[in-house]
């Protein structure tokens, strides 16, 4: 592991956004990049230079997206034992339901989780979880083994699996490959804990009635109060226990630090719609810099967080995380809203309605180069350049696809310019029912 300090926050955000979907390789080994908890690096501390691994373990604080978790690892001579990247997890005394999304939320704080498979064996709830890196698996085991997800129950027992790689055929409630969003759901139907026995109705956990759109599985809600900050594991306040103040598996995002003068529900719908089907958007009436975005499901919500958290939008660095709300309520008749809450559940602009859509294979982080498609034959290079220039973009490059002049790449002055242009010009009407399609490209000109 290593720390790398960039010249600016923008540079760091750009690098993480660029490499998250496609990790770089050094000597055929993938390199995974995450945000550190440190604001700056100091290289003059001789003690830390002498025991870098021990210092790293002692102060390792990994932030994944906008959710942080702090682990206090005992320094063990700075040498990690040899082991794989797959953990076997047994949950004892399962008093509350444990879902795949709960496990992902807990374990992803220690590194990139690639795959999870859940099952019951010997009358025990068990799971196999594969990290991208064996070091992350070691940190997670050392930090979480013996802890309880809830006070007094759902205790984690963790060891290393003999398996070196998990095979996942379906993305559903019991198994998921986070690197393959194109996998089918499988033959079984989504199972949800809809009827909970009396012991579950305690003050520790709240399961509110689901009032969202039909067809959505109600995610399990955990009492959050007013806490919206990063997740934290502490051992001083309650030894052996940790609390998760969020809603794992939620499809509603809390988006903050928005520019209240420029942001609109439609703008958020188009931008977040690059990474999933947006069903509802609500900009807070009294705090216009905060919004809620309801995605079609939890996987798309997490995808949007991975790609858009930390992205600059209208001059501000946007923050995206899971919300404490399970659904966005539409305003009641006569309730003052000023058009800040919009329902897009039946919009024709959803990119992922068709499960076989090629859009699933063309999801890329925000970039300065945009992919244009559905261009009418009558539209020229100058027409397109002038269109983007009229929206405040600086056009630095353009080229039509050789085999198909219905598609093109256009390179703008910055990633932020491209984000603004995508919001403004996706679905632009050329006339005669010809609408432009705009996406982020993995290529450059």
């Amino acid at each position: 592991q290593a720390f790398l300090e960039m010249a600016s926050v923008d540079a760091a955000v750009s690098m993480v956004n660029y490499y998250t979907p496609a990790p770089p390789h050094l000597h055929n080994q993938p390199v995974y990049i995450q945000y550190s908890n440190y604001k700056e690096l100091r290289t003059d501390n001789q003690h830390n230079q002498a025991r870098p691994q021990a210092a790293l373990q002692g102060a390792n604080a990994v932030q994944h997206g906008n959710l942080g978790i702090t682990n206090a690892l005992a320094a063990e001579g700075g040498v990690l034992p040899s082991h794989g990247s797959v953990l076997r997890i047994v949950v004892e005394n399962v008093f509350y339901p444990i879902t795949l999304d709960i496990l992902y939320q807990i374990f992803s704080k220690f590194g990139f989780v690639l795959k999870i498979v859940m099952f019951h064996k010997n009358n025990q709830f068990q799971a196999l979880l594969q990290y991208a890196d064996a070091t992350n698996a070691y940190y997670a085991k050392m930090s979480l083994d013996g802890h309880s997800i809830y006070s007094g129950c759902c205790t984690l027992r963790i060891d290393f699996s003999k398996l070196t790689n998990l095979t996942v055929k379906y993305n559903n409630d019991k198994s998921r490959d986070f690197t393959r969003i194109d996998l089918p759901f499988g033959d079984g139907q989504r199972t949800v804990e809809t009827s909970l026995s009396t012991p579950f109705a305690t003050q520790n956990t709240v399961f509110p009635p689901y009032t969202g759109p039909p067809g959505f599985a109600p995610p399990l809600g955990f009492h959050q109060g007013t806490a919206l900050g990063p997740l934290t594991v502490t051992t001083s306040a309650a030894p052996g226990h940790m609390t998760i103040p969020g809603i794992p598996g939620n499809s509603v995002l809390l988006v903050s630090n928005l520019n209240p003068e420029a942001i609109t529900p439609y703008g958020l719908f188009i931008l977040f719609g690059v990474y999933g089907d947006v069903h509802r958007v609500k900009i807070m009436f009294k705090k216009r810099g905060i919004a809620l975005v309801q995605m079609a499901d939890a996987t798309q919500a997490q995808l949007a967080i991975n790609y858009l958290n930390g992205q600059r939008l209208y001059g501000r660095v946007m923050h995206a995380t899971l919300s404490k709300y399970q659904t966005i309520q539409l305003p009641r008749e006569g309730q003052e809203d000023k058009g800040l809450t919009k329902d897009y559940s039946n919009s024709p602009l959803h990119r992922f309605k068709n499960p076989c859509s090629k859009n699933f294979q063309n999801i890329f982080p925000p970039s300065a180069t945009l992919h244009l498609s559905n261009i009418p034959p009558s539209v020229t290079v100058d027409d397109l350049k002038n269109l983007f220039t009229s929206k405040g973009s600086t056009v630095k490059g353009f080229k039509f696809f050789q085999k198909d002049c219905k598609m093109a790449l256009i390179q703008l002055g910055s990633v932020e310019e491209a984000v603004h242009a995508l919001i403004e010009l996706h679905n632009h009407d050329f006339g005669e029912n010809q609408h432009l399609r705009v996406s982020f490209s993995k290529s450059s000109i």
Side-chain angles (χ1 to χ4, degrees):
Q1 295 195 22
F3 292 109
L4 180 70
E5 183 177 347
M6 305 295 286
S8 67
V9 173
D10 285 351
V13 169
S14 296
M15 185 174 71
V16 171
N17 287 346
Y18 183 84
Y19 283 125
T20 295
H25 285 68
L26 287 175
H27 301 293
N28 296 320
Q29 291 288 331
V31 179
Y32 297 96
I33 300 170
Q34 298 170 298
Y35 296 111
S36 162
N37 208 42
Y38 291 104
K39 298 299 182 185
E40 63 176 335
L41 294 183
R42 296 181 180 179
T43 57
D44 57 343
N45 189 322
Q46 295 301 315
H47 175 72
N48 282 348
Q49 291 296 304
R51 297 189 63 193
Q53 194 66 53
L56 180 61
Q57 289 183 13
N60 183 46
V62 177
Q63 284 188 324
H64 186 68
N66 202 39
L67 304 175
I69 195 168
T70 303
N71 59 18
L73 294 172
E76 296 190 358
V79 179
L80 298 180
S82 59
H83 56 75
S85 60
V86 179
L87 296 177
R88 185 175 73 95
I89 302 159
V90 176
V91 184
E92 298 177 346
N93 192 18
V94 181
F95 191 72
Y96 300 120
I98 303 299
T99 67
L100 187 146
D101 295 302
I102 290 174
L103 292 179
Y104 177 81
Q105 189 180 12
I106 295 170
F107 283 84
S108 65
K109 311 312 166 227
F110 295 88
F112 288 89
V113 175
L114 299 183
K115 304 168 187 176
I116 301 177
V117 177
M118 301 192 319
F119 54 94
H120 277 85
K121 185 177 180 181
N122 301 328
N123 292 322
Q124 286 183 316
F125 176 95
Q126 298 192 30
L128 293 170
L129 183 146
Q130 182 178 348
Y131 277 105
D133 184 81
T135 306
N136 301 133
Y138 175 77
Y139 286 156
K141 179 188 184 304
M142 295 300 293
S143 300
L144 297 177
D145 187 26
H147 283 275
S148 297
I149 299 175
Y150 304 100
S151 181
C153 65
C154 300
T155 304
L156 296 169
R157 302 297 179 195
I158 305 169
D159 56 25
F160 296 106
S161 169
K162 295 178 181 178
L163 297 173
T164 57
N165 184 55
L166 297 182
T167 301
V168 176
K169 295 181 179 179
Y170 304 110
N171 281 342
N172 56 27
D173 291 359
K174 301 300 181 186
S175 64
R176 198 168 303 169
D177 184 336
F178 293 95
T179 68
R180 293 277 309 280
I181 64 171
D182 58 315
L183 290 179
F185 188 80
D187 297 329
Q189 295 298 310
R190 182 180 291 272
T191 57
V192 180
E193 291 279 354
T194 52
S195 60
L196 296 164
S197 57
T198 305
F200 288 103
T202 68
Q203 62 178 358
N204 291 336
T205 312
V206 179
F207 298 93
Y210 183 70
T211 57
F216 287 97
L220 300 174
F222 293 85
H223 180 60
Q224 183 174 349
T226 56
L228 289 172
L231 301 177
T232 308
V233 169
T234 59
T235 54
S236 56
H241 302 293
M242 62 181 164
T243 57
I244 306 296
I247 300 184
N250 197 6
S251 62
V252 179
L253 304 176
L254 174 71
V255 186
S256 57
N257 201 37
L258 298 168
N259 185 334
E261 304 298 323
I263 200 64
T264 63
Y266 179 79
L268 290 172
F269 164 67
I270 292 297
L271 179 57
F272 280 77
V274 174
Y275 302 106
D277 292 338
V278 177
H279 282 244
R280 291 179 180 176
V281 177
K282 180 183 184 69
I283 294 177
M284 299 302 187
F285 186 76
K286 293 183 179 180
K287 294 183 178 180
R288 302 292 174 89
I290 300 175
L292 297 174
V293 177
Q294 183 171 329
M295 308 295 290
D297 58 43
T299 302
Q300 294 181 2
Q302 191 61 51
L303 202 64
I305 289 174
N306 292 346
Y307 284 108
L308 293 177
N309 179 54
Q311 175 58 50
R312 287 188 68 86
L313 179 64
Y314 300 123
R316 296 191 178 187
V317 177
M318 172 174 58
H319 302 299
T321 184
L322 292 176
S323 165
K324 66 178 180 178
Y325 299 104
Q326 293 173 286
T327 186
I328 295 176
Q329 299 286 356
L330 296 176
R332 296 185 298 273
E333 190 174 345
Q335 183 179 356
E336 189 178 13
D337 181 70
K338 293 188 178 179
L340 296 176
T341 305
K342 295 288 185 181
D343 187 293
Y344 296 103
S345 53
N346 295 316
S347 172
L349 298 184
H350 288 165
R351 297 175 188 246
F352 306 101
K353 269 187 177 178
N354 183 353
C356 300
S357 171
K358 288 186 178 179
N359 290 334
F360 283 103
Q361 302 165 26
N362 294 302
I363 298 176
F364 305 112
S367 63
T369 304
L370 296 173
H371 179 276
L372 312 180
S373 59
N374 209 35
I375 302 169
S378 58
V379 174
T380 66
V381 173
D382 288 338
D383 291 335
L384 288 166
K385 285 183 177 180
N386 291 336
L387 177 63
F388 278 81
T389 302
S390 70
K391 300 299 181 181
S393 299
T394 305
V395 178
K396 293 200 166 183
F398 184 94
K399 73 173 181 180
F400 274 114
F401 281 54
Q402 289 182 347
K403 294 181 180 180
D404 189 355
C405 286
K406 292 181 180 178
M407 294 193 292
L409 294 178
I410 187 167
Q411 186 172 335
L412 305 182
S414 67
V415 175
E416 188 176 4
E417 271 191 26
V419 170
H420 299 167
L422 182 140
I423 291 172
E424 291 282 335
L425 294 174
H426 179 65
N427 201 46
H428 173 77
D429 190 355
F430 286 115
E432 299 181 10
N433 203 28
Q434 295 271 6
H435 293 82
L436 181 66
R437 297 286 177 262
V438 185
S439 306
F440 295 116
S441 173
K442 66 175 178 179
S443 307
S444 57
I445 299 173

